[in-house]
Amino acid sequence: MTAVGIIAEYNPFHNGHAYHLAQAKMLTGAETAVVVMSGNFVQRGVPAVFDKWQRTSLALEGGADVVYELPFAFAVQPAHLFARGAVNLLARAGVDTIVFGAEHAQLDFLALAKQARSLLMSNQAFRTDYTQTYATVFNDVLAQATGERLSDPNDLLGFAYATAVLELDLADEIRLLPIQRIGAAYHQTAITDSQIASATALRDLMQRRVSAHEYEAFVSSQAAALLSQGPQTKEWSTDWYHLLQYKVLTTPVEDLSTIYQLNDGLAYRLKEQMTRQTDADYQTFMTSFKSKRYTWSRLQRTLLYTLLNIRQQEMQQALDQPYLRLLGASKTGRAFIKQQRKHVSIPVVNHVTHEDTTGILTLDYRAGKLYELMIKQPVRQAMDTGRIPLFIE
């Protein structure tokens, strides 16, 4: 059996994702679509609108055959680490092609990555210019190396996937196949007559708590029913923020500075701004906390690391220990997993043990407990312990 790989967040799953899965199978002739999906938190450092189990169910319904969890250590990271973790897991799972959406699918992303790689690493400004964001400096150097500037989100991820393939020495094993993104743009918030709305637009619609009927043109009936209930967790900018305030205000700055990525003076800035603005709302605080050096998403991820009390050594250990956590599979997917079993060289987790929660899954387990704490309704089942993969026929 052959398999094509997809890297996703599905936050939430919609018609564009179903189209992507169908196109991936059709263009490659693969029998199995293997998805590596972010868990309960997404790359921007915020909770997913639904937990990983509900999103897995929607993905399987929408055409995925195997869904593995992208561990927290890779899922809540800048693009290069996010991509490296996901590409590595798909390669270990046994796929030979990764299909991804792109705003400019005609670009040869692997060729761009080869051209840019050495210049990016040797460029002094790329490593030391803190007056601009990483993305701005990155694009300046990329343009110098290749003549191309990448500003669209999926193009940037495509470049990150290509760079990961090179860094992991997988160019002879993994083919990258971009497909043209259709319908709404990535960040488009307006709902149009198209049957493909962006995840951003759907999340905005969820905040208004409209009826399931309003979603039916863009998602499955199962997804429409879920979306009409609103996000699964409490509001980040209020309930989550209050937890963060308590954590920061009661922790000595010396301890805060040991949190992953809360370095280079950020711990002191965080403590100072939050102490001065105890009555400020989240948006006001973030506006004062942000600087030219860091993007909003970078800082938001750092705040989540702070809430979870993640230290540098813990994160590094997690990054050095990739594993495959199966969240769900179709009948075809189960056959593929069985076929590949002898070839997988990293740990495979189907049932979480106590040993896992204090070892290889430490960060994911901690993140799951935080997510459980902030769910609007009483938790019926833990995020990790006592769970088995979802199987559909």
Side-chain angles (χ1 to χ4, degrees):
M1 298 178 69
T2 56
V4 60
I6 307 288
I7 299 166
E9 291 189 323
Y10 294 155
N11 188 40
F13 190 93
H14 55 68
N15 289 350
H17 297 132
Y19 170 82
H20 183 192
L21 284 163
Q23 286 289 300
K25 287 183 178 179
M26 183 189 76
L27 293 173
T28 62
E31 302 147 280
T32 312
V34 178
V35 176
V36 167
M37 183 188 78
S38 300
N40 292 319
F41 292 88
V42 295
Q43 192 189 3
R44 292 177 297 118
V46 296
V49 291
F50 305 126
D51 67 56
K52 59 192 176 187
W53 300 103
Q54 293 196 38
R55 288 169 27 249
T56 295
S57 178
L58 295 177
L60 294 173
E61 177 197 36
D65 294 299
V66 179
V67 179
Y68 289 115
E69 179 177 358
L70 180 61
F72 180 93
F74 295 105
V76 186
Q77 291 281 11
H80 66 288
L81 290 177
F82 176 93
R84 186 183 179 92
V87 167
N88 185 38
L89 291 189
L90 285 174
R92 302 296 188 103
V95 310
D96 57 19
T97 304
I98 295 175
V99 174
F100 60 94
E103 287 85 3
H104 299 88
Q106 75 278 8
L107 293 174
D108 186 334
F109 288 90
L110 195 61
L112 283 177
K114 287 178 180 177
Q115 283 180 270
R117 190 179 178 194
S118 59
L119 185 56
L120 284 170
M121 291 304 99
S122 63
N123 186 276
Q124 186 69 15
F126 182 69
R127 291 184 285 118
T128 61
D129 185 356
Y130 298 139
T131 64
Q132 304 179 83
T133 66
Y134 174 95
T136 300
V137 179
F138 162 83
N139 257 304
D140 288 345
V141 177
L142 182 67
Q144 181 185 344
T146 69
E148 295 282 353
R149 296 187 74 87
L150 301 178
S151 57
D152 294 304
N154 291 285
D155 286 349
L156 286 166
L157 273 176
F159 182 85
Y161 299 149
T163 301
V165 166
L166 294 178
E167 290 178 348
L168 293 166
D169 198 23
L170 293 172
D172 294 331
E173 301 173 37
I174 296 289
R175 178 171 68 118
L176 293 176
L177 180 59
I179 59 174
Q180 185 63 44
R181 183 181 174 90
I182 64 171
Y186 185 89
H187 291 302
Q188 182 175 319
T189 57
I191 297 289
T192 67
D193 293 334
S194 167
Q195 288 190 316
I196 298 180
S198 72
T200 302
L202 293 173
R203 290 194 299 271
D204 284 354
L205 204 58
M206 288 175 73
Q207 297 296 332
R208 306 210 302 265
R209 297 296 293 272
V210 300
S211 68
H213 174 72
E214 299 286 338
Y215 298 101
E216 288 175 354
F218 313 109
V219 300
S220 68
S221 56
Q222 180 189 351
L226 280 174
L227 267 63
S228 67
Q229 298 171 28
Q232 189 176 2
T233 70
K234 298 171 186 176
E235 182 64 34
W236 172 270
S237 61
T238 53
D239 298 84
W240 295 79
Y241 180 50
H242 295 329
L243 286 184
L244 178 68
Q245 285 179 302
Y246 173 79
K247 168 71 176 176
V248 173
L249 292 174
T250 59
T251 304
V253 71
E254 294 78 13
D255 289 346
L256 287 174
S257 64
T258 65
I259 298 290
Y260 178 65
Q261 288 196 352
L262 204 56
N263 51 9
D264 294 333
L266 262 185
Y268 291 89
R269 182 175 177 82
L270 173 60
K271 184 82 168 182
E272 178 190 26
Q273 293 296 329
M274 196 160 282
T275 302
R276 288 172 53 192
Q277 303 184 75
T278 52
D279 294 332
D281 61 25
Y282 178 69
Q283 294 294 325
T284 302
F285 162 73
M286 281 296 287
T287 300
S288 63
F289 183 44
K290 191 183 179 310
S291 66
K292 291 181 179 180
R293 181 175 177 182
Y294 300 112
T295 64
W296 189 288
S297 292
R298 159 69 165 83
L299 293 177
Q300 204 158 241
R301 285 192 294 268
T302 305
L303 297 181
L304 180 57
Y305 303 148
T306 304
L307 261 183
L308 288 167
N309 205 39
I310 297 174
R311 310 291 166 160
Q312 173 69 36
Q313 185 178 1
E314 284 186 306
M315 183 63 82
Q316 193 56 57
Q317 286 176 342
L319 291 171
D320 292 340
Q321 294 181 318
Y323 62 88
L324 288 169
R325 168 82 187 278
L326 181 64
L327 296 178
S330 67
K331 185 176 181 180
T332 299
R334 294 199 297 277
F336 176 77
I337 292 170
K338 184 177 180 180
Q339 169 190 292
Q340 292 297 121
R341 190 169 293 155
K342 294 180 180 178
H343 306 292
V344 177
S345 58
I346 59 175
V348 177
V349 178
N350 294 326
H351 305 85
V352 176
T353 66
H354 174 71
E355 209 173 282
D356 293 328
T357 65
T358 57
I360 197 169
L361 265 69
T362 298
L363 296 188
D364 295 277
Y365 178 70
R366 194 186 302 169
K369 299 309 288 184
L370 178 61
Y371 195 92
E372 289 172 28
L373 181 66
M374 301 307 292
I375 287 177
K376 292 176 182 176
Q377 303 299 324
V379 177
R380 296 180 181 178
Q381 197 170 4
M383 285 296 142
D384 294 294
T385 53
R387 303 293 294 245
I388 61 172
L390 301 173
F391 295 127
I392 65 168
E393 294 301 321

PDB file of all heavy atoms in Angstrom, residues 123 125-141 149 290-295 298:
ATOM      1  N   ASN A 123      24.329  34.476   6.833  1.00  0.00           N
ATOM      2  CA  ASN A 123      24.029  35.903   6.828  1.00  0.00           C
ATOM      3  C   ASN A 123      23.998  36.469   8.242  1.00  0.00           C
ATOM      4  O   ASN A 123      23.244  36.018   9.091  1.00  0.00           O
ATOM      5  CB  ASN A 123      22.674  36.129   6.146  1.00  0.00           C
ATOM      6  CG  ASN A 123      22.366  37.605   5.976  1.00  0.00           C
ATOM      7  OD1 ASN A 123      21.867  38.241   6.891  1.00  0.00           O
ATOM      8  ND2 ASN A 123      22.668  38.135   4.800  1.00  0.00           N
ATOM      9  N   ALA A 125      23.009  39.443   9.344  1.00  0.00           N
ATOM     10  CA  ALA A 125      21.777  40.158   9.690  1.00  0.00           C
ATOM     11  C   ALA A 125      20.680  39.193  10.112  1.00  0.00           C
ATOM     12  O   ALA A 125      19.896  39.471  11.021  1.00  0.00           O
ATOM     13  CB  ALA A 125      21.309  40.996   8.499  1.00  0.00           C
ATOM     14  N   PHE A 126      20.626  38.054   9.436  1.00  0.00           N
ATOM     15  CA  PHE A 126      19.603  37.056   9.757  1.00  0.00           C
ATOM     16  C   PHE A 126      19.736  36.597  11.197  1.00  0.00           C
ATOM     17  O   PHE A 126      18.743  36.308  11.870  1.00  0.00           O
ATOM     18  CB  PHE A 126      19.740  35.865   8.792  1.00  0.00           C
ATOM     19  CG  PHE A 126      18.711  34.797   8.995  1.00  0.00           C
ATOM     20  CD1 PHE A 126      17.385  35.021   8.685  1.00  0.00           C
ATOM     21  CD2 PHE A 126      19.075  33.553   9.490  1.00  0.00           C
ATOM     22  CE1 PHE A 126      16.429  34.030   8.869  1.00  0.00           C
ATOM     23  CE2 PHE A 126      18.126  32.555   9.671  1.00  0.00           C
ATOM     24  CZ  PHE A 126      16.802  32.808   9.351  1.00  0.00           C
ATOM     25  N   ARG A 127      20.965  36.539  11.699  1.00  0.00           N
ATOM     26  CA  ARG A 127      21.193  36.019  13.052  1.00  0.00           C
ATOM     27  C   ARG A 127      21.197  37.100  14.126  1.00  0.00           C
ATOM     28  O   ARG A 127      20.986  36.803  15.300  1.00  0.00           O
ATOM     29  CB  ARG A 127      22.525  35.247  13.086  1.00  0.00           C
ATOM     30  CG  ARG A 127      22.479  33.955  12.291  1.00  0.00           C
ATOM     31  CD  ARG A 127      23.763  33.154  12.414  1.00  0.00           C
ATOM     32  NE  ARG A 127      24.836  33.734  11.624  1.00  0.00           N
ATOM     33  CZ  ARG A 127      25.963  34.207  12.126  1.00  0.00           C
ATOM     34  NH1 ARG A 127      26.158  34.190  13.425  1.00  0.00           N
ATOM     35  NH2 ARG A 127      26.893  34.709  11.349  1.00  0.00           N
ATOM     36  N   THR A 128      21.432  38.369  13.726  1.00  0.00           N
ATOM     37  CA  THR A 128      21.644  39.381  14.769  1.00  0.00           C
ATOM     38  C   THR A 128      20.784  40.638  14.646  1.00  0.00           C
ATOM     39  O   THR A 128      20.803  41.470  15.546  1.00  0.00           O
ATOM     40  CB  THR A 128      23.118  39.828  14.773  1.00  0.00           C
ATOM     41  OG1 THR A 128      23.430  40.412  13.490  1.00  0.00           O
ATOM     42  CG2 THR A 128      24.048  38.655  15.026  1.00  0.00           C
ATOM     43  N   ASP A 129      20.020  40.788  13.561  1.00  0.00           N
ATOM     44  CA  ASP A 129      19.218  42.003  13.400  1.00  0.00           C
ATOM     45  C   ASP A 129      17.919  41.882  14.191  1.00  0.00           C
ATOM     46  O   ASP A 129      16.974  41.247  13.759  1.00  0.00           O
ATOM     47  CB  ASP A 129      18.903  42.249  11.915  1.00  0.00           C
ATOM     48  CG  ASP A 129      18.175  43.570  11.702  1.00  0.00           C
ATOM     49  OD1 ASP A 129      17.863  44.241  12.704  1.00  0.00           O
ATOM     50  OD2 ASP A 129      17.920  43.926  10.541  1.00  0.00           O
ATOM     51  N   TYR A 130      17.878  42.513  15.359  1.00  0.00           N
ATOM     52  CA  TYR A 130      16.712  42.414  16.222  1.00  0.00           C
ATOM     53  C   TYR A 130      15.777  43.620  16.083  1.00  0.00           C
ATOM     54  O   TYR A 130      14.831  43.775  16.855  1.00  0.00           O
ATOM     55  CB  TYR A 130      17.143  42.271  17.680  1.00  0.00           C
ATOM     56  CG  TYR A 130      17.940  41.016  17.942  1.00  0.00           C
ATOM     57  CD1 TYR A 130      19.050  41.051  18.767  1.00  0.00           C
ATOM     58  CD2 TYR A 130      17.572  39.799  17.356  1.00  0.00           C
ATOM     59  CE1 TYR A 130      19.791  39.895  19.020  1.00  0.00           C
ATOM     60  CE2 TYR A 130      18.299  38.646  17.597  1.00  0.00           C
ATOM     61  CZ  TYR A 130      19.401  38.696  18.428  1.00  0.00           C
ATOM     62  OH  TYR A 130      20.117  37.560  18.661  1.00  0.00           O
ATOM     63  N   THR A 131      16.038  44.486  15.116  1.00  0.00           N
ATOM     64  CA  THR A 131      15.172  45.638  14.911  1.00  0.00           C
ATOM     65  C   THR A 131      13.962  45.282  14.057  1.00  0.00           C
ATOM     66  O   THR A 131      13.024  46.065  13.952  1.00  0.00           O
ATOM     67  CB  THR A 131      15.938  46.782  14.227  1.00  0.00           C
ATOM     68  OG1 THR A 131      16.347  46.364  12.913  1.00  0.00           O
ATOM     69  CG2 THR A 131      17.156  47.180  15.038  1.00  0.00           C
ATOM     70  N   GLN A 132      13.980  44.093  13.427  1.00  0.00           N
ATOM     71  CA  GLN A 132      12.868  43.640  12.613  1.00  0.00           C
ATOM     72  C   GLN A 132      12.492  42.220  13.029  1.00  0.00           C
ATOM     73  O   GLN A 132      13.260  41.534  13.696  1.00  0.00           O
ATOM     74  CB  GLN A 132      13.251  43.640  11.125  1.00  0.00           C
ATOM     75  CG  GLN A 132      13.735  44.976  10.608  1.00  0.00           C
ATOM     76  CD  GLN A 132      14.110  44.885   9.145  1.00  0.00           C
ATOM     77  OE1 GLN A 132      13.271  44.974   8.265  1.00  0.00           O
ATOM     78  NE2 GLN A 132      15.395  44.706   8.878  1.00  0.00           N
ATOM     79  N   THR A 133      11.307  41.775  12.607  1.00  0.00           N
ATOM     80  CA  THR A 133      10.885  40.423  12.947  1.00  0.00           C
ATOM     81  C   THR A 133      11.687  39.408  12.146  1.00  0.00           C
ATOM     82  O   THR A 133      12.263  39.718  11.095  1.00  0.00           O
ATOM     83  CB  THR A 133       9.394  40.204  12.646  1.00  0.00           C
ATOM     84  OG1 THR A 133       9.188  40.280  11.231  1.00  0.00           O
ATOM     85  CG2 THR A 133       8.531  41.231  13.366  1.00  0.00           C
ATOM     86  N   TYR A 134      11.695  38.182  12.631  1.00  0.00           N
ATOM     87  CA  TYR A 134      12.365  37.067  11.959  1.00  0.00           C
ATOM     88  C   TYR A 134      11.884  36.961  10.511  1.00  0.00           C
ATOM     89  O   TYR A 134      12.687  36.800   9.584  1.00  0.00           O
ATOM     90  CB  TYR A 134      12.039  35.782  12.732  1.00  0.00           C
ATOM     91  CG  TYR A 134      12.537  34.493  12.110  1.00  0.00           C
ATOM     92  CD1 TYR A 134      13.750  33.934  12.491  1.00  0.00           C
ATOM     93  CD2 TYR A 134      11.776  33.817  11.162  1.00  0.00           C
ATOM     94  CE1 TYR A 134      14.193  32.738  11.941  1.00  0.00           C
ATOM     95  CE2 TYR A 134      12.206  32.635  10.600  1.00  0.00           C
ATOM     96  CZ  TYR A 134      13.416  32.104  10.996  1.00  0.00           C
ATOM     97  OH  TYR A 134      13.841  30.935  10.443  1.00  0.00           O
ATOM     98  N   ALA A 135      10.560  37.060  10.298  1.00  0.00           N
ATOM     99  CA  ALA A 135       9.998  36.885   8.952  1.00  0.00           C
ATOM    100  C   ALA A 135      10.503  37.949   7.989  1.00  0.00           C
ATOM    101  O   ALA A 135      10.781  37.666   6.821  1.00  0.00           O
ATOM    102  CB  ALA A 135       8.468  36.905   9.021  1.00  0.00           C
ATOM    103  N   THR A 136      10.638  39.195   8.464  1.00  0.00           N
ATOM    104  CA  THR A 136      11.100  40.283   7.605  1.00  0.00           C
ATOM    105  C   THR A 136      12.552  40.064   7.188  1.00  0.00           C
ATOM    106  O   THR A 136      12.896  40.163   5.997  1.00  0.00           O
ATOM    107  CB  THR A 136      10.966  41.627   8.334  1.00  0.00           C
ATOM    108  OG1 THR A 136       9.595  41.846   8.662  1.00  0.00           O
ATOM    109  CG2 THR A 136      11.461  42.769   7.463  1.00  0.00           C
ATOM    110  N   VAL A 137      13.408  39.767   8.151  1.00  0.00           N
ATOM    111  CA  VAL A 137      14.818  39.536   7.842  1.00  0.00           C
ATOM    112  C   VAL A 137      14.960  38.301   6.964  1.00  0.00           C
ATOM    113  O   VAL A 137      15.743  38.287   6.006  1.00  0.00           O
ATOM    114  CB  VAL A 137      15.637  39.374   9.137  1.00  0.00           C
ATOM    115  CG1 VAL A 137      17.105  39.113   8.819  1.00  0.00           C
ATOM    116  CG2 VAL A 137      15.516  40.628   9.995  1.00  0.00           C
ATOM    117  N   PHE A 138      14.194  37.252   7.282  1.00  0.00           N
ATOM    118  CA  PHE A 138      14.218  36.026   6.487  1.00  0.00           C
ATOM    119  C   PHE A 138      13.915  36.322   5.018  1.00  0.00           C
ATOM    120  O   PHE A 138      14.609  35.866   4.114  1.00  0.00           O
ATOM    121  CB  PHE A 138      13.192  35.037   7.059  1.00  0.00           C
ATOM    122  CG  PHE A 138      12.808  33.933   6.112  1.00  0.00           C
ATOM    123  CD1 PHE A 138      13.602  32.807   5.987  1.00  0.00           C
ATOM    124  CD2 PHE A 138      11.650  34.015   5.349  1.00  0.00           C
ATOM    125  CE1 PHE A 138      13.252  31.785   5.111  1.00  0.00           C
ATOM    126  CE2 PHE A 138      11.300  33.002   4.477  1.00  0.00           C
ATOM    127  CZ  PHE A 138      12.106  31.885   4.360  1.00  0.00           C
ATOM    128  N   ASN A 139      12.867  37.115   4.773  1.00  0.00           N
ATOM    129  CA  ASN A 139      12.481  37.407   3.397  1.00  0.00           C
ATOM    130  C   ASN A 139      13.507  38.275   2.687  1.00  0.00           C
ATOM    131  O   ASN A 139      13.722  38.128   1.482  1.00  0.00           O
ATOM    132  CB  ASN A 139      11.099  38.072   3.376  1.00  0.00           C
ATOM    133  CG  ASN A 139      10.018  37.098   2.969  1.00  0.00           C
ATOM    134  OD1 ASN A 139      10.106  36.492   1.903  1.00  0.00           O
ATOM    135  ND2 ASN A 139       9.024  36.918   3.806  1.00  0.00           N
ATOM    136  N   ASP A 140      14.153  39.176   3.400  1.00  0.00           N
ATOM    137  CA  ASP A 140      15.208  39.987   2.783  1.00  0.00           C
ATOM    138  C   ASP A 140      16.348  39.093   2.291  1.00  0.00           C
ATOM    139  O   ASP A 140      16.871  39.267   1.178  1.00  0.00           O
ATOM    140  CB  ASP A 140      15.745  41.011   3.785  1.00  0.00           C
ATOM    141  CG  ASP A 140      14.761  42.135   4.064  1.00  0.00           C
ATOM    142  OD1 ASP A 140      13.801  42.281   3.284  1.00  0.00           O
ATOM    143  OD2 ASP A 140      14.956  42.850   5.069  1.00  0.00           O
ATOM    144  N   VAL A 141      16.736  38.147   3.125  1.00  0.00           N
ATOM    145  CA  VAL A 141      17.829  37.245   2.761  1.00  0.00           C
ATOM    146  C   VAL A 141      17.390  36.296   1.656  1.00  0.00           C
ATOM    147  O   VAL A 141      18.144  36.019   0.713  1.00  0.00           O
ATOM    148  CB  VAL A 141      18.312  36.463   4.002  1.00  0.00           C
ATOM    149  CG1 VAL A 141      19.409  35.472   3.610  1.00  0.00           C
ATOM    150  CG2 VAL A 141      18.846  37.420   5.060  1.00  0.00           C
ATOM    151  N   ARG A 149      10.263  36.474  -2.840  1.00  0.00           N
ATOM    152  CA  ARG A 149       9.828  36.831  -1.492  1.00  0.00           C
ATOM    153  C   ARG A 149       8.588  36.011  -1.184  1.00  0.00           C
ATOM    154  O   ARG A 149       7.672  35.930  -2.010  1.00  0.00           O
ATOM    155  CB  ARG A 149       9.513  38.319  -1.380  1.00  0.00           C
ATOM    156  CG  ARG A 149      10.706  39.217  -1.600  1.00  0.00           C
ATOM    157  CD  ARG A 149      10.347  40.665  -1.296  1.00  0.00           C
ATOM    158  NE  ARG A 149      10.220  40.896   0.135  1.00  0.00           N
ATOM    159  CZ  ARG A 149      11.234  41.218   0.925  1.00  0.00           C
ATOM    160  NH1 ARG A 149      12.462  41.341   0.429  1.00  0.00           N
ATOM    161  NH2 ARG A 149      11.051  41.431   2.202  1.00  0.00           N
ATOM    162  N   LYS A 290       4.392  43.631  23.209  1.00  0.00           N
ATOM    163  CA  LYS A 290       4.978  43.360  21.901  1.00  0.00           C
ATOM    164  C   LYS A 290       6.055  44.389  21.549  1.00  0.00           C
ATOM    165  O   LYS A 290       5.999  45.532  21.973  1.00  0.00           O
ATOM    166  CB  LYS A 290       3.882  43.367  20.823  1.00  0.00           C
ATOM    167  CG  LYS A 290       4.368  42.832  19.484  1.00  0.00           C
ATOM    168  CD  LYS A 290       3.290  42.915  18.440  1.00  0.00           C
ATOM    169  CE  LYS A 290       3.818  42.394  17.108  1.00  0.00           C
ATOM    170  NZ  LYS A 290       5.104  42.972  16.708  1.00  0.00           N
ATOM    171  N   SER A 291       7.028  43.946  20.761  1.00  0.00           N
ATOM    172  CA  SER A 291       8.069  44.841  20.255  1.00  0.00           C
ATOM    173  C   SER A 291       8.347  44.492  18.797  1.00  0.00           C
ATOM    174  O   SER A 291       7.844  43.499  18.286  1.00  0.00           O
ATOM    175  CB  SER A 291       9.349  44.691  21.082  1.00  0.00           C
ATOM    176  OG  SER A 291       9.903  43.391  20.890  1.00  0.00           O
ATOM    177  N   LYS A 292       9.168  45.317  18.139  1.00  0.00           N
ATOM    178  CA  LYS A 292       9.501  45.057  16.737  1.00  0.00           C
ATOM    179  C   LYS A 292      10.240  43.727  16.565  1.00  0.00           C
ATOM    180  O   LYS A 292      10.197  43.114  15.503  1.00  0.00           O
ATOM    181  CB  LYS A 292      10.355  46.188  16.182  1.00  0.00           C
ATOM    182  CG  LYS A 292       9.612  47.501  16.017  1.00  0.00           C
ATOM    183  CD  LYS A 292      10.525  48.564  15.428  1.00  0.00           C
ATOM    184  CE  LYS A 292       9.793  49.882  15.240  1.00  0.00           C
ATOM    185  NZ  LYS A 292      10.677  50.926  14.660  1.00  0.00           N
ATOM    186  N   ARG A 293      10.899  43.310  17.606  1.00  0.00           N
ATOM    187  CA  ARG A 293      11.737  42.117  17.506  1.00  0.00           C
ATOM    188  C   ARG A 293      10.928  40.825  17.424  1.00  0.00           C
ATOM    189  O   ARG A 293      11.364  39.852  16.828  1.00  0.00           O
ATOM    190  CB  ARG A 293      12.668  42.068  18.720  1.00  0.00           C
ATOM    191  CG  ARG A 293      13.614  40.876  18.729  1.00  0.00           C
ATOM    192  CD  ARG A 293      14.573  40.984  19.900  1.00  0.00           C
ATOM    193  NE  ARG A 293      15.443  39.827  19.964  1.00  0.00           N
ATOM    194  CZ  ARG A 293      16.350  39.637  20.894  1.00  0.00           C
ATOM    195  NH1 ARG A 293      16.531  40.549  21.842  1.00  0.00           N
ATOM    196  NH2 ARG A 293      17.116  38.562  20.901  1.00  0.00           N
ATOM    197  N   TYR A 294       9.730  40.808  18.032  1.00  0.00           N
ATOM    198  CA  TYR A 294       8.964  39.568  18.121  1.00  0.00           C
ATOM    199  C   TYR A 294       7.564  39.731  17.533  1.00  0.00           C
ATOM    200  O   TYR A 294       6.910  40.743  17.747  1.00  0.00           O
ATOM    201  CB  TYR A 294       8.824  39.131  19.587  1.00  0.00           C
ATOM    202  CG  TYR A 294      10.129  38.884  20.280  1.00  0.00           C
ATOM    203  CD1 TYR A 294      10.560  39.728  21.307  1.00  0.00           C
ATOM    204  CD2 TYR A 294      10.948  37.826  19.919  1.00  0.00           C
ATOM    205  CE1 TYR A 294      11.766  39.509  21.957  1.00  0.00           C
ATOM    206  CE2 TYR A 294      12.156  37.603  20.557  1.00  0.00           C
ATOM    207  CZ  TYR A 294      12.567  38.438  21.566  1.00  0.00           C
ATOM    208  OH  TYR A 294      13.761  38.222  22.189  1.00  0.00           O
ATOM    209  N   THR A 295       7.116  38.708  16.837  1.00  0.00           N
ATOM    210  CA  THR A 295       5.756  38.716  16.317  1.00  0.00           C
ATOM    211  C   THR A 295       4.770  38.414  17.441  1.00  0.00           C
ATOM    212  O   THR A 295       5.131  37.882  18.493  1.00  0.00           O
ATOM    213  CB  THR A 295       5.575  37.652  15.225  1.00  0.00           C
ATOM    214  OG1 THR A 295       5.757  36.342  15.800  1.00  0.00           O
ATOM    215  CG2 THR A 295       6.568  37.845  14.090  1.00  0.00           C
ATOM    216  N   ARG A 298       4.784  34.675  18.199  1.00  0.00           N
ATOM    217  CA  ARG A 298       5.969  34.257  18.974  1.00  0.00           C
ATOM    218  C   ARG A 298       5.751  34.528  20.463  1.00  0.00           C
ATOM    219  O   ARG A 298       6.026  33.682  21.318  1.00  0.00           O
ATOM    220  CB  ARG A 298       7.194  35.004  18.445  1.00  0.00           C
ATOM    221  CG  ARG A 298       8.382  35.112  19.387  1.00  0.00           C
ATOM    222  CD  ARG A 298       9.080  33.775  19.626  1.00  0.00           C
ATOM    223  NE  ARG A 298      10.390  33.967  20.221  1.00  0.00           N
ATOM    224  CZ  ARG A 298      10.641  34.156  21.519  1.00  0.00           C
ATOM    225  NH1 ARG A 298       9.650  34.190  22.381  1.00  0.00           N
ATOM    226  NH2 ARG A 298      11.889  34.316  21.932  1.00  0.00           N
TER     227      ARG A 298
END
